[in-house]
Amino acid sequence: MNVDRKDIVYQKHLREEAGVWDKTAKEELKRHSPDYRHYKETLPYQIYRHPFVDKMLAYINPGDIVLELGCYNGWFTLEMARRGAYVDAHDIARGAVEIAQEYYNQTKKKERYNGTVSYHVTDLNFPEFPKNYYDVVVIRNVLHHIVNLRQLFEKLNKSLKPNG
């Protein structure tokens, strides 16, 4: 399904979607910080997510340049930076990205990371990524929101380095 980014209905749905995730991130922030150490204590993680999260993190090596789609409040992004990755983190929800950026800035003052994070508010139906740049692409809980999935995968494939 192709969508025109200028379509008024599409833009309305995009704002609504971002609003849902902004609100959710703000509510979660009241209970705990956006940090993997806290996320590991959540019920969904303890019940079924931990083996998948562990498996994804096992692919992250020091020095990797990582493209993350759906960074949300940044807990996973931060953990990749702690492991020495240089992460370009994207999400549609500006409020969630702002929470992630703020927490990253706070923790950088207390912790020494070998990696870095750059946050971006991005409509992943119309992304622009550099070619042959990333070692790893991480996508969590996003693909079911994408209407131009084929186009996204083509762009992701081009953004990966050979053997990425």
Side-chain angles (χ1 to χ4, degrees):
M1 168 188 223
N2 274 334
V3 173
D4 180 357
R5 94 169 68 202
K6 295 179 182 177
D7 182 271
I8 294 170
V9 174
Y10 173 74
Q11 289 299 318
K12 179 180 180 274
H13 287 298
L14 205 61
R15 284 190 304 276
E16 289 171 354
E17 181 78 14
V20 166
W21 294 112
D22 285 344
K23 181 180 177 185
T24 304
K26 287 174 186 169
E27 288 298 316
E28 285 183 3
L29 189 59
K30 292 176 185 175
R31 293 190 301 278
H32 56 78
S33 60
D35 196 306
Y36 184 51
R37 293 176 278 202
H38 301 287
Y39 182 74
K40 289 196 288 190
E41 302 302 319
T42 66
L43 197 56
Y45 180 87
Q46 292 176 357
I47 292 173
Y48 67 93
R49 289 185 181 160
H50 70 276
F52 303 108
V53 172
D54 291 344
K55 192 178 276 190
M56 281 194 295
L57 285 171
Y59 282 98
I60 307 305
N61 297 301
D64 280 349
I65 301 172
V66 178
L67 172 61
E68 181 187 21
L69 306 185
C71 67
Y72 184 53
N73 63 9
W75 69 265
F76 193 78
T77 316
L78 185 61
E79 191 61 23
M80 290 188 289
R82 283 182 174 131
R83 291 169 183 255
Y86 304 99
V87 186
D88 281 341
H90 296 258
D91 202 285
I92 189 62
R94 181 174 304 282
V97 168
E98 288 170 356
I99 288 169
Q101 182 69 61
E102 176 68 24
Y103 190 70
Y104 172 66
N105 290 340
Q106 288 173 17
T107 60
K108 271 195 325 189
K109 294 174 185 173
K110 301 173 192 169
E111 297 179 42
R112 180 169 167 82
Y113 300 137
N114 291 328
T116 60
V117 178
S118 177
Y119 289 101
H120 309 272
V121 177
T122 306
D123 176 358
L124 295 175
N125 285 300
F126 300 98
E128 296 297 327
F129 305 121
K131 292 186 171 118
N132 298 318
Y133 186 73
Y134 297 104
D135 297 297
V136 178
V137 174
V138 172
I139 307 171
R140 294 174 309 100
N141 302 319
V142 170
L143 295 178
H144 58 287
H145 296 282
I146 305 298
V147 294
N148 292 328
L149 203 51
R150 179 184 298 272
Q151 179 182 343
L152 176 63
F153 279 126
E154 288 170 357
K155 288 185 177 192
L156 292 175
N157 188 46
K158 290 176 184 174
S159 76
L160 284 168
K161 293 176 182 175
N163 301 315

